[in-house]
Short mmCIF file of all heavy atoms in Angstrom, two decimals:
data_model
loop_
_atom_site.label_atom_id
_atom_site.label_comp_id
_atom_site.label_asym_id
_atom_site.label_seq_id
_atom_site.Cartn_x
_atom_site.Cartn_y
_atom_site.Cartn_z
N GLY A 121 10.19 3.03 13.28
CA GLY A 121 10.79 3.44 12.03
C GLY A 121 10.02 3.06 10.79
O GLY A 121 10.56 3.07 9.69
N ASN A 122 8.75 2.66 10.94
CA ASN A 122 7.93 2.34 9.77
C ASN A 122 7.30 3.61 9.22
O ASN A 122 7.05 4.57 9.95
CB ASN A 122 6.81 1.36 10.15
CG ASN A 122 7.35 0.02 10.56
OD1 ASN A 122 8.23 -0.52 9.92
ND2 ASN A 122 6.83 -0.53 11.65
N GLY A 123 7.03 3.62 7.90
CA GLY A 123 6.41 4.80 7.29
C GLY A 123 5.56 4.40 6.10
O GLY A 123 5.87 3.44 5.39
N SER A 124 4.48 5.14 5.91
CA SER A 124 3.61 4.89 4.78
C SER A 124 3.09 6.22 4.25
O SER A 124 2.68 7.08 5.03
CB SER A 124 2.43 4.01 5.20
OG SER A 124 1.59 3.75 4.10
N THR A 125 3.12 6.38 2.94
CA THR A 125 2.56 7.56 2.29
C THR A 125 1.47 7.10 1.34
O THR A 125 1.70 6.24 0.48
CB THR A 125 3.64 8.33 1.49
OG1 THR A 125 4.67 8.74 2.39
CG2 THR A 125 3.03 9.56 0.81
N VAL A 126 0.27 7.64 1.51
CA VAL A 126 -0.87 7.26 0.69
C VAL A 126 -1.42 8.52 0.03
O VAL A 126 -1.72 9.50 0.70
CB VAL A 126 -1.97 6.59 1.53
CG1 VAL A 126 -3.21 6.30 0.68
CG2 VAL A 126 -1.45 5.32 2.17
N THR A 127 -1.55 8.48 -1.30
CA THR A 127 -2.13 9.59 -2.07
C THR A 127 -3.29 9.03 -2.88
O THR A 127 -3.11 8.08 -3.65
CB THR A 127 -1.09 10.21 -3.02
OG1 THR A 127 0.05 10.62 -2.26
CG2 THR A 127 -1.67 11.40 -3.77
N VAL A 128 -4.48 9.60 -2.69
CA VAL A 128 -5.67 9.09 -3.36
C VAL A 128 -6.39 10.24 -4.06
O VAL A 128 -6.67 11.27 -3.45
CB VAL A 128 -6.64 8.42 -2.36
CG1 VAL A 128 -7.90 7.95 -3.06
CG2 VAL A 128 -5.95 7.26 -1.66
N ASN A 129 -6.66 10.05 -5.34
CA ASN A 129 -7.46 11.00 -6.13
C ASN A 129 -8.56 10.20 -6.82
O ASN A 129 -8.27 9.29 -7.59
CB ASN A 129 -6.61 11.71 -7.18
CG ASN A 129 -5.56 12.60 -6.55
OD1 ASN A 129 -5.87 13.54 -5.85
ND2 ASN A 129 -4.30 12.27 -6.78
N GLY A 130 -9.81 10.53 -6.54
CA GLY A 130 -10.92 9.82 -7.14
C GLY A 130 -11.93 9.41 -6.09
O GLY A 130 -11.91 9.90 -4.96
N ASN A 131 -12.80 8.48 -6.46
CA ASN A 131 -13.89 8.07 -5.59
C ASN A 131 -13.86 6.56 -5.37
O ASN A 131 -13.44 5.80 -6.24
CB ASN A 131 -15.24 8.45 -6.22
CG ASN A 131 -15.37 9.94 -6.43
OD1 ASN A 131 -15.29 10.71 -5.49
ND2 ASN A 131 -15.54 10.36 -7.68
N PHE A 132 -14.34 6.15 -4.19
CA PHE A 132 -14.52 4.74 -3.85
C PHE A 132 -13.22 3.94 -3.91
O PHE A 132 -13.20 2.77 -4.27
CB PHE A 132 -15.59 4.10 -4.75
CG PHE A 132 -16.88 4.86 -4.76
CD1 PHE A 132 -17.27 5.57 -5.89
CD2 PHE A 132 -17.69 4.91 -3.63
CE1 PHE A 132 -18.46 6.30 -5.90
CE2 PHE A 132 -18.88 5.63 -3.64
CZ PHE A 132 -19.27 6.32 -4.77
N ASN A 133 -12.11 4.58 -3.55
CA ASN A 133 -10.81 3.92 -3.47
C ASN A 133 -10.57 3.46 -2.04
O ASN A 133 -11.00 4.11 -1.09
CB ASN A 133 -9.70 4.86 -3.92
CG ASN A 133 -9.81 5.21 -5.39
OD1 ASN A 133 -9.82 4.34 -6.23
ND2 ASN A 133 -9.91 6.49 -5.69
N THR A 134 -9.86 2.33 -1.88
CA THR A 134 -9.56 1.79 -0.56
C THR A 134 -8.08 1.43 -0.47
O THR A 134 -7.54 0.81 -1.38
CB THR A 134 -10.40 0.52 -0.28
OG1 THR A 134 -11.78 0.83 -0.40
CG2 THR A 134 -10.12 -0.04 1.10
N VAL A 135 -7.45 1.84 0.64
CA VAL A 135 -6.06 1.47 0.90
C VAL A 135 -5.98 0.95 2.33
O VAL A 135 -6.44 1.60 3.26
CB VAL A 135 -5.10 2.67 0.74
CG1 VAL A 135 -3.67 2.25 1.09
CG2 VAL A 135 -5.17 3.24 -0.65
N GLU A 136 -5.38 -0.24 2.48
CA GLU A 136 -5.14 -0.81 3.79
C GLU A 136 -3.66 -1.11 3.91
O GLU A 136 -3.10 -1.79 3.06
CB GLU A 136 -5.95 -2.09 3.98
CG GLU A 136 -7.45 -1.88 3.91
CD GLU A 136 -8.24 -3.18 4.00
OE1 GLU A 136 -7.62 -4.26 4.12
OE2 GLU A 136 -9.48 -3.11 3.93
N VAL A 137 -3.01 -0.57 4.95
CA VAL A 137 -1.58 -0.81 5.17
C VAL A 137 -1.38 -1.33 6.59
O VAL A 137 -1.85 -0.72 7.55
CB VAL A 137 -0.75 0.47 4.96
CG1 VAL A 137 0.72 0.22 5.27
CG2 VAL A 137 -0.91 1.00 3.55
N SER A 138 -0.68 -2.47 6.71
CA SER A 138 -0.35 -3.03 8.00
C SER A 138 1.16 -3.25 8.05
O SER A 138 1.73 -3.90 7.17
CB SER A 138 -1.09 -4.37 8.19
OG SER A 138 -0.66 -4.99 9.39
N GLN A 139 1.80 -2.70 9.07
CA GLN A 139 3.25 -2.82 9.21
C GLN A 139 3.59 -3.31 10.61
O GLN A 139 3.16 -2.73 11.60
CB GLN A 139 3.93 -1.47 8.95
CG GLN A 139 3.77 -0.98 7.52
CD GLN A 139 4.33 0.43 7.32
OE1 GLN A 139 4.08 1.31 8.13
NE2 GLN A 139 5.04 0.62 6.23
N ASP A 140 4.35 -4.41 10.68
CA ASP A 140 4.79 -4.98 11.94
C ASP A 140 6.27 -5.30 11.80
O ASP A 140 6.65 -6.14 10.99
CB ASP A 140 3.99 -6.24 12.27
CG ASP A 140 4.36 -6.82 13.61
OD1 ASP A 140 4.87 -6.08 14.48
OD2 ASP A 140 4.16 -8.04 13.80
N GLY A 141 7.09 -4.63 12.53
CA GLY A 141 8.54 -4.78 12.41
C GLY A 141 9.17 -3.40 12.43
O GLY A 141 8.61 -2.46 12.99
N ILE A 142 10.34 -3.28 11.81
CA ILE A 142 11.04 -1.99 11.81
C ILE A 142 11.51 -1.65 10.40
O ILE A 142 11.77 -2.52 9.58
CB ILE A 142 12.23 -1.99 12.79
CG1 ILE A 142 13.24 -3.09 12.45
CG2 ILE A 142 11.76 -2.11 14.23
CD1 ILE A 142 14.53 -3.02 13.25
N ASP A 143 11.59 -0.36 10.15
CA ASP A 143 12.15 0.19 8.90
C ASP A 143 11.41 -0.27 7.64
O ASP A 143 12.01 -0.46 6.59
CB ASP A 143 13.64 -0.13 8.78
CG ASP A 143 14.46 0.52 9.88
OD1 ASP A 143 14.08 1.62 10.31
OD2 ASP A 143 15.47 -0.07 10.32
N ASN A 144 10.09 -0.46 7.74
CA ASN A 144 9.28 -0.78 6.57
C ASN A 144 8.74 0.51 5.96
O ASN A 144 8.38 1.44 6.68
CB ASN A 144 8.12 -1.69 6.96
CG ASN A 144 8.60 -3.03 7.46
OD1 ASN A 144 9.30 -3.73 6.75
ND2 ASN A 144 8.24 -3.39 8.68
N VAL A 145 8.70 0.57 4.62
CA VAL A 145 8.23 1.76 3.91
C VAL A 145 7.23 1.32 2.85
O VAL A 145 7.46 0.38 2.10
CB VAL A 145 9.39 2.52 3.24
CG1 VAL A 145 8.88 3.70 2.44
CG2 VAL A 145 10.40 2.96 4.29
N SER A 146 6.11 2.04 2.78
CA SER A 146 5.08 1.75 1.79
C SER A 146 4.64 3.05 1.13
O SER A 146 4.36 4.04 1.82
CB SER A 146 3.88 1.08 2.47
OG SER A 146 2.81 0.97 1.58
N LEU A 147 4.57 3.05 -0.21
CA LEU A 147 4.07 4.19 -0.97
C LEU A 147 2.92 3.70 -1.83
O LEU A 147 3.08 2.76 -2.62
CB LEU A 147 5.16 4.76 -1.86
CG LEU A 147 6.49 5.14 -1.20
CD1 LEU A 147 7.52 5.52 -2.25
CD2 LEU A 147 6.28 6.27 -0.22
N VAL A 148 1.74 4.30 -1.67
CA VAL A 148 0.57 3.91 -2.46
C VAL A 148 -0.02 5.16 -3.10
O VAL A 148 -0.29 6.15 -2.41
CB VAL A 148 -0.51 3.22 -1.61
CG1 VAL A 148 -1.72 2.84 -2.46
CG2 VAL A 148 0.06 1.98 -0.90
N THR A 149 -0.20 5.12 -4.42
CA THR A 149 -0.83 6.21 -5.16
C THR A 149 -1.98 5.65 -5.98
O THR A 149 -1.79 4.70 -6.74
CB THR A 149 0.17 6.91 -6.10
OG1 THR A 149 1.29 7.38 -5.34
CG2 THR A 149 -0.47 8.08 -6.83
N GLN A 150 -3.15 6.22 -5.81
CA GLN A 150 -4.33 5.82 -6.58
C GLN A 150 -4.93 7.02 -7.29
O GLN A 150 -5.15 8.06 -6.67
CB GLN A 150 -5.41 5.21 -5.68
CG GLN A 150 -5.02 3.90 -5.04
CD GLN A 150 -6.08 3.38 -4.10
OE1 GLN A 150 -6.72 4.15 -3.39
NE2 GLN A 150 -6.25 2.07 -4.07
N THR A 151 -5.17 6.88 -8.58
CA THR A 151 -5.85 7.90 -9.37
C THR A 151 -6.95 7.20 -10.17
O THR A 151 -6.67 6.28 -10.93
CB THR A 151 -4.88 8.60 -10.34
OG1 THR A 151 -3.81 9.17 -9.58
CG2 THR A 151 -5.59 9.70 -11.12
N GLY A 152 -8.17 7.61 -9.96
CA GLY A 152 -9.29 6.96 -10.62
C GLY A 152 -10.34 6.57 -9.60
O GLY A 152 -10.40 7.13 -8.51
N ASN A 153 -11.15 5.58 -9.94
CA ASN A 153 -12.26 5.18 -9.08
C ASN A 153 -12.28 3.68 -8.86
O ASN A 153 -11.92 2.90 -9.74
CB ASN A 153 -13.59 5.60 -9.72
CG ASN A 153 -13.67 7.10 -9.94
OD1 ASN A 153 -13.40 7.88 -9.05
ND2 ASN A 153 -14.05 7.51 -11.14
N GLY A 154 -12.70 3.29 -7.66
CA GLY A 154 -12.92 1.88 -7.36
C GLY A 154 -11.67 1.04 -7.24
O GLY A 154 -11.72 -0.16 -7.45
N ASN A 155 -10.55 1.65 -6.89
CA ASN A 155 -9.29 0.91 -6.74
C ASN A 155 -9.14 0.39 -5.32
O ASN A 155 -9.64 0.98 -4.36
CB ASN A 155 -8.11 1.81 -7.10
CG ASN A 155 -8.15 2.25 -8.54
OD1 ASN A 155 -8.13 1.43 -9.44
ND2 ASN A 155 -8.22 3.55 -8.77
N PHE A 156 -8.41 -0.75 -5.17
CA PHE A 156 -8.18 -1.36 -3.87
C PHE A 156 -6.72 -1.75 -3.75
O PHE A 156 -6.17 -2.41 -4.65
CB PHE A 156 -9.06 -2.60 -3.69
CG PHE A 156 -8.78 -3.34 -2.40
CD1 PHE A 156 -9.36 -2.93 -1.22
CD2 PHE A 156 -7.93 -4.44 -2.38
CE1 PHE A 156 -9.10 -3.60 -0.03
CE2 PHE A 156 -7.66 -5.12 -1.20
CZ PHE A 156 -8.26 -4.69 -0.01
N ALA A 157 -6.08 -1.36 -2.66
CA ALA A 157 -4.69 -1.76 -2.40
C ALA A 157 -4.57 -2.23 -0.96
O ALA A 157 -5.04 -1.55 -0.03
CB ALA A 157 -3.73 -0.61 -2.65
N ASP A 158 -3.95 -3.38 -0.77
CA ASP A 158 -3.71 -3.94 0.56
C ASP A 158 -2.23 -4.26 0.67
O ASP A 158 -1.70 -5.05 -0.12
CB ASP A 158 -4.55 -5.20 0.76
CG ASP A 158 -4.30 -5.85 2.12
OD1 ASP A 158 -4.10 -5.12 3.10
OD2 ASP A 158 -4.30 -7.10 2.19
N VAL A 159 -1.54 -3.64 1.62
CA VAL A 159 -0.10 -3.85 1.82
C VAL A 159 0.11 -4.38 3.23
O VAL A 159 -0.32 -3.76 4.20
CB VAL A 159 0.69 -2.54 1.62
CG1 VAL A 159 2.18 -2.77 1.90
CG2 VAL A 159 0.48 -1.98 0.23
N THR A 160 0.78 -5.53 3.33
CA THR A 160 1.14 -6.11 4.62
C THR A 160 2.65 -6.32 4.65
O THR A 160 3.20 -6.99 3.77
CB THR A 160 0.43 -7.46 4.85
OG1 THR A 160 -0.99 -7.26 4.77
CG2 THR A 160 0.79 -8.04 6.21
N GLN A 161 3.30 -5.72 5.63
CA GLN A 161 4.75 -5.83 5.76
C GLN A 161 5.09 -6.31 7.17
O GLN A 161 4.64 -5.73 8.15
CB GLN A 161 5.42 -4.48 5.51
CG GLN A 161 5.23 -3.96 4.09
CD GLN A 161 5.78 -2.57 3.90
OE1 GLN A 161 5.56 -1.68 4.72
NE2 GLN A 161 6.49 -2.37 2.80
N THR A 162 5.88 -7.40 7.25
CA THR A 162 6.36 -7.90 8.53
C THR A 162 7.88 -8.01 8.46
O THR A 162 8.46 -7.94 7.39
CB THR A 162 5.75 -9.28 8.86
OG1 THR A 162 6.09 -10.19 7.83
CG2 THR A 162 4.23 -9.20 8.98
N SER A 163 8.49 -8.18 9.60
CA SER A 163 9.94 -8.26 9.71
C SER A 163 10.53 -6.86 9.55
O SER A 163 9.98 -5.91 10.08
CB SER A 163 10.52 -9.26 8.71
OG SER A 163 11.87 -9.52 9.02
N GLU A 164 11.60 -6.71 8.77
CA GLU A 164 12.25 -5.40 8.70
C GLU A 164 12.79 -5.08 7.31
O GLU A 164 13.08 -5.96 6.52
CB GLU A 164 13.39 -5.32 9.72
CG GLU A 164 14.45 -6.39 9.60
CD GLU A 164 15.44 -6.37 10.75
OE1 GLU A 164 15.04 -6.69 11.88
OE2 GLU A 164 16.60 -6.04 10.50
N ALA A 165 12.87 -3.78 7.06
CA ALA A 165 13.50 -3.21 5.85
C ALA A 165 12.80 -3.62 4.55
O ALA A 165 13.45 -3.85 3.53
CB ALA A 165 14.97 -3.55 5.80
N ASN A 166 11.48 -3.70 4.58
CA ASN A 166 10.72 -3.94 3.35
C ASN A 166 10.36 -2.61 2.71
O ASN A 166 10.15 -1.61 3.38
CB ASN A 166 9.43 -4.70 3.66
CG ASN A 166 9.69 -6.09 4.19
OD1 ASN A 166 10.24 -6.92 3.50
ND2 ASN A 166 9.29 -6.33 5.44
N MET A 167 10.27 -2.60 1.36
CA MET A 167 9.90 -1.41 0.61
C MET A 167 8.90 -1.80 -0.46
O MET A 167 9.14 -2.75 -1.21
CB MET A 167 11.15 -0.79 -0.04
CG MET A 167 10.87 0.33 -1.03
SD MET A 167 10.17 1.77 -0.23
CE MET A 167 9.82 2.79 -1.64
N SER A 168 7.78 -1.12 -0.52
CA SER A 168 6.81 -1.40 -1.58
C SER A 168 6.28 -0.10 -2.17
O SER A 168 6.14 0.90 -1.47
CB SER A 168 5.64 -2.24 -1.07
OG SER A 168 4.79 -1.48 -0.24
N THR A 169 6.01 -0.15 -3.47
CA THR A 169 5.39 0.97 -4.18
C THR A 169 4.25 0.42 -5.01
O THR A 169 4.44 -0.50 -5.81
CB THR A 169 6.40 1.67 -5.12
OG1 THR A 169 7.50 2.15 -4.34
CG2 THR A 169 5.75 2.84 -5.85
N VAL A 170 3.05 0.97 -4.80
CA VAL A 170 1.88 0.59 -5.58
C VAL A 170 1.36 1.84 -6.27
O VAL A 170 1.08 2.84 -5.60
CB VAL A 170 0.78 -0.03 -4.69
CG1 VAL A 170 -0.48 -0.31 -5.51
CG2 VAL A 170 1.27 -1.28 -4.00
N THR A 171 1.23 1.79 -7.59
CA THR A 171 0.66 2.90 -8.36
C THR A 171 -0.51 2.34 -9.17
O THR A 171 -0.32 1.43 -9.97
CB THR A 171 1.70 3.53 -9.30
OG1 THR A 171 2.82 3.97 -8.52
CG2 THR A 171 1.10 4.71 -10.05
N GLN A 172 -1.70 2.91 -8.94
CA GLN A 172 -2.89 2.46 -9.66
C GLN A 172 -3.51 3.64 -10.39
O GLN A 172 -3.77 4.67 -9.79
CB GLN A 172 -3.90 1.87 -8.68
CG GLN A 172 -3.41 0.61 -7.98
CD GLN A 172 -4.35 0.10 -6.92
OE1 GLN A 172 -4.82 0.86 -6.08
NE2 GLN A 172 -4.63 -1.20 -6.96
N ASN A 173 -3.73 3.45 -11.69
CA ASN A 173 -4.38 4.47 -12.52
C ASN A 173 -5.56 3.82 -13.22
O ASN A 173 -5.44 2.72 -13.75
CB ASN A 173 -3.42 5.04 -13.57
CG ASN A 173 -2.28 5.81 -12.94
OD1 ASN A 173 -2.50 6.74 -12.19
ND2 ASN A 173 -1.06 5.40 -13.23
N GLY A 174 -6.69 4.52 -13.24
CA GLY A 174 -7.85 3.98 -13.92
C GLY A 174 -8.90 3.53 -12.94
O GLY A 174 -9.05 4.09 -11.86
N MET A 175 -9.63 2.48 -13.32
CA MET A 175 -10.75 2.03 -12.53
C MET A 175 -10.62 0.55 -12.15
O MET A 175 -10.14 -0.26 -12.94
CB MET A 175 -12.06 2.23 -13.30
CG MET A 175 -12.37 3.68 -13.61
SD MET A 175 -13.88 3.85 -14.62
CE MET A 175 -15.08 3.05 -13.56
N ASN A 176 -11.06 0.25 -10.92
CA ASN A 176 -11.24 -1.13 -10.45
C ASN A 176 -9.96 -1.97 -10.47
O ASN A 176 -10.00 -3.16 -10.75
CB ASN A 176 -12.35 -1.82 -11.24
CG ASN A 176 -13.67 -1.08 -11.13
OD1 ASN A 176 -14.05 -0.61 -10.07
ND2 ASN A 176 -14.37 -0.94 -12.25
N ASN A 177 -8.83 -1.34 -10.16
CA ASN A 177 -7.57 -2.07 -10.03
C ASN A 177 -7.48 -2.69 -8.64
O ASN A 177 -7.97 -2.12 -7.67
CB ASN A 177 -6.39 -1.14 -10.26
CG ASN A 177 -6.36 -0.59 -11.67
OD1 ASN A 177 -6.20 -1.34 -12.61
ND2 ASN A 177 -6.52 0.71 -11.81
N ILE A 178 -6.82 -3.84 -8.54
CA ILE A 178 -6.62 -4.51 -7.25
C ILE A 178 -5.14 -4.83 -7.09
O ILE A 178 -4.52 -5.40 -8.00
CB ILE A 178 -7.44 -5.81 -7.16
CG1 ILE A 178 -8.94 -5.51 -7.26
CG2 ILE A 178 -7.12 -6.58 -5.87
CD1 ILE A 178 -9.81 -6.74 -7.37
N ALA A 179 -4.57 -4.47 -5.93
CA ALA A 179 -3.18 -4.82 -5.62
C ALA A 179 -3.12 -5.38 -4.21
O ALA A 179 -3.65 -4.78 -3.27
CB ALA A 179 -2.28 -3.59 -5.73
N ASN A 180 -2.49 -6.55 -4.09
CA ASN A 180 -2.24 -7.16 -2.78
C ASN A 180 -0.74 -7.41 -2.67
O ASN A 180 -0.16 -8.14 -3.48
CB ASN A 180 -2.98 -8.50 -2.66
CG ASN A 180 -4.49 -8.32 -2.60
OD1 ASN A 180 -4.99 -7.71 -1.68
ND2 ASN A 180 -5.18 -8.85 -3.59
#
Side-chain angles (χ1 to χ4, degrees):
N122 295 315
S124 181
T125 300
V126 176
T127 304
V128 178
N129 295 298
N131 299 301
F132 308 109
N133 294 303
T134 302
V135 177
E136 298 176 1
V137 176
S138 174
Q139 295 174 315
D140 183 24
I142 58 172
D143 296 327
N144 296 302
V145 176
S146 171
L147 307 173
V148 179
T149 303
Q150 294 177 322
T151 302
N153 300 311
N155 297 300
F156 175 83
D158 178 36
V159 177
T160 302
Q161 296 174 315
T162 59
S163 192
E164 57 188 68
N166 296 296
M167 171 66 186
S168 73
T169 301
V170 176
T171 303
Q172 296 175 311
N173 294 305
M175 297 176 58
N176 302 318
N177 296 295
I178 298 172
N180 291 298

